[in-house]
């Protein structure tokens, strides 16, 4: 439904992250694009970062042994975390925890070929006190060239 | 399609902000909820904040002459801007500009009545150099009780 | 002595936090206002947050099982910590520790009834190296509607 | 009333900043200590910094032509502004304005002579939308050796 | 003298930025690497960013009409500015000005060819009050894949 | 080679930090200046701070039992860490580690005697994932009066 213009990589990643179990995007991914999704919950920000890096590598979104790809992903993850944490990239240190769905999409969102591949990291979930129900939603998006 | 669980206020606001012209959400808003949407583009962060405050007031999402409502909105806007700016809430000062769609939703996303109304401010658009095409997508979400 | 205008909630909270043992404020709290005070010292920022949340709940400043109240308090605490930490909300991670007195006050500081209750969280104490005497004073204040 | 222990420079500065017109501190300043107070209101953070620097120089709290003294004051002012702004040292850029009383105190708050002079910069006032009444209190304290 | 290992791009860029007029690096740049240097002084952070972007484009360090190259440079510049500003990427807004030499170097600092080109942006100069002599040195380095 | 003007304390400290084993600066330190250098690697930011404080004290760059000296050093270290971390002074919490050389220099970089001693803390090394080779260079400089 939502995806008319098919190459907006951040929007696509966010729709994946927002999608509930069983929902599917109504527009196919552009040719040659790759993505993965996953879930992670923790008070430990290190684990959040690690879960996304592991997913991206095991899904072959990025090449494990090429540092520039890891570097591109790392900064996209950090930028997405700014949106989720809104001020200080801290979770347990300030007594809060997150439960997140993430989507990582790789492709060229621009018309011209020389723009190459880009990464979008989208996060959607909840943030709050480590008490069931004491939480509200949070969202983040990071975009980087790769 | 996407909205199975109807009271996730942040997700609803983000889907509004992501919606292209002519798209409509497939699930109705919960009873009594209100929202507005709009567009704003500027290098001037002050104008971005003002555009959302004006829209929320003229659409009667918040009461103009009750400070607690303005205060709740202001902090939700600032939290959404963290996601868009990812590190420093600055635009022109660091030579970048944004073109954003915004959605502001008001309602009680929790089961219990005493949680009262909450606000979600969602931003979706582009950020980049003040040169056509030198930009990528950006997203932000702020949630606050009101 | 200091409180001529009786409804400045932040000033009242700060005077409570600054008060030494045995000192009392010379002006009574406005009718219906509630407050608590306490002390906490730690290198662990999580413990600082937890001590204030626990005090506010056990003193019935906020209602334990209403999330909007916990949410209001949490953000007021975080804002107060910005003043204490001045740049990064970190303690032990950057090898420093705090010893703080805190005061949490709840009431309506505005003339009009519909502004409802607000919270002020005031912190006063010392911050420094984990070595006796290697420290200076620090202060923070967070204000939020509830 | 409040000052039992006479050399807590941050507490003294904050009590000066909190004092209403006509109020006086009940305990004298330690011998040889100097202070000044003032008021400044602006959406322009540059003007806030300048007002305090000018006051400190014209009141001979710091020596105008010794850079180390200006440097010490500058960082104390910046630390105080963190408390007032709580996240981003920005005012008009994020559509808010402040009205502040400030106090700058100079003296040696430690027992040992070789600790030399220190500076405390205390800020107390309101922050909010550029609309009368749409504001709440804010406080900041910066401490530095000089 | 200093450059034994010839491919440390950040170190090379910093040595260029530190070099006084007439000084030359004693080790040649690796084959195929490009660089430019320049100077910029301003209270206006926008001008600092613009000066480096202009220099990099006019010196053909990056391709003007490929956004991914502009994007890589922009983030490297922003990272370098974090080092110079140490907390808030603001200059005139907090009443300070900078006088900077910059060096931008492009090349592959890694052994393996598939790491491709990287950018280093190095800044060296002074930061301080807009008064001659009221300033101290500041340094920043940003590194990004391109 | 590089040091023509002999009293630029930040530049000297950075050249020390950039120097490889066996390299020496071609210009002597100004009379009466002191410095130390060292290495530290960790995911734990607390250890980074502690290593520099310990080195400065054991090398008699600062006086161990004078708090104003510890305070001056602490803030110079924190400012240097802003350059290395570029946004959030966090290492392991965001799944990254550093390997750094540091140099701490003490002296008066100004013409006039009353400016007294200043400290420069320079950091040079790598930052990245806790995987060999997945890292790039990072630099930071902090300057403070003492
Ligand atoms: Mg970007
Ligand atoms: Mg919240
Ligand atoms: Mg507020
Ligand atoms: Mg300090
Ligand atoms: Mg990097
Ligand atoms: Mg400084």
């Amino acid at each position: 439904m939502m995806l008319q213009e098919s190459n907006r990589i951040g929007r696509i990643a966010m729709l994946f992250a927002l999608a509930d179990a069983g929902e599917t995007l109504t527009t196919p991914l552009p040719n040659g694009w790759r993505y993965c999704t996953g879930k992670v919950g923790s008070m430990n920000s290190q684990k959040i970062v690690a879960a996304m890096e592991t997913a991206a590598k095991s899904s072959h979104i990025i090449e494990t042994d090429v540092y520039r790809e890891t570097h591109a992903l790392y900064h996209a993850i950090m930028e997405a975390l700014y949106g989720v944490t809104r001020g200080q990239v801290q979770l347990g240190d300030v007594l809060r925890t997150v439960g997140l769905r993430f989507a990582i999409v790789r492709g060229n969102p621009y018309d011209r070929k020389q723009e190459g591949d880009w990464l979008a990291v989208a996060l959607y979930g909840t943030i709050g006190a480590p008490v069931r129900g004491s939480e509200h939603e949070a969202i983040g998006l990071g975009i980087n060239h790769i």
Side-chain angles (χ1 to χ4, degrees), chain A:
Chain A
M1 167 204 75
M2 283 229 155
L3 294 170
Q4 317 273 290
E5 292 169 60
S6 57
N7 62 351
R8 285 174 292 170
I9 194 170
R11 189 174 183 271
I12 292 171
M14 186 51 64
L15 288 172
F16 275 126
L18 293 171
D20 289 324
E23 289 184 346
T24 50
L25 296 189
T26 51
T27 312
L29 269 195
N31 246 342
W33 286 35
R34 282 173 277 169
Y35 79 98
C36 70
T37 60
K39 286 186 184 192
V40 60
S42 185
M43 287 190 84
N44 183 339
S45 49
Q46 191 176 111
K47 281 189 190 165
I48 307 293
V49 178
M52 287 187 270
E53 288 192 354
T54 301
K57 287 174 178 175
S58 66
S59 307
H60 306 291
I61 310 298
I62 65 166
E63 281 194 56
T64 298
D65 58 349
V66 180
Y67 174 50
R68 68 182 290 116
E69 304 223 334
T70 302
H71 185 254
L73 177 63
Y74 182 78
H75 283 277
I77 290 171
M78 290 306 298
E79 294 197 0
L81 284 175
Y82 274 112
V84 168
T85 55
R86 292 148 292 129
Q88 301 282 329
V89 182
Q90 293 175 295
L91 299 177
D93 283 348
V94 288
L95 197 56
R96 58 184 180 177
T97 189
V98 291
L100 295 170
R101 291 197 299 235
F102 61 84
I104 305 173
V105 181
R106 178 184 185 146
N108 178 353
Y110 299 96
D111 293 340
R112 303 175 64 200
K113 216 169 179 176
Q114 70 258 51
E115 293 299 350
D117 275 356
W118 290 66
L119 276 176
V121 173
L123 303 174
Y124 170 69
T126 55
I127 191 164
V131 172
R132 179 92 188 127
S134 292
E135 66 208 7
H136 59 66
E137 293 160 282
I139 273 177
L141 175 70
I143 303 266
N144 209 358
H145 64 283
I146 195 167

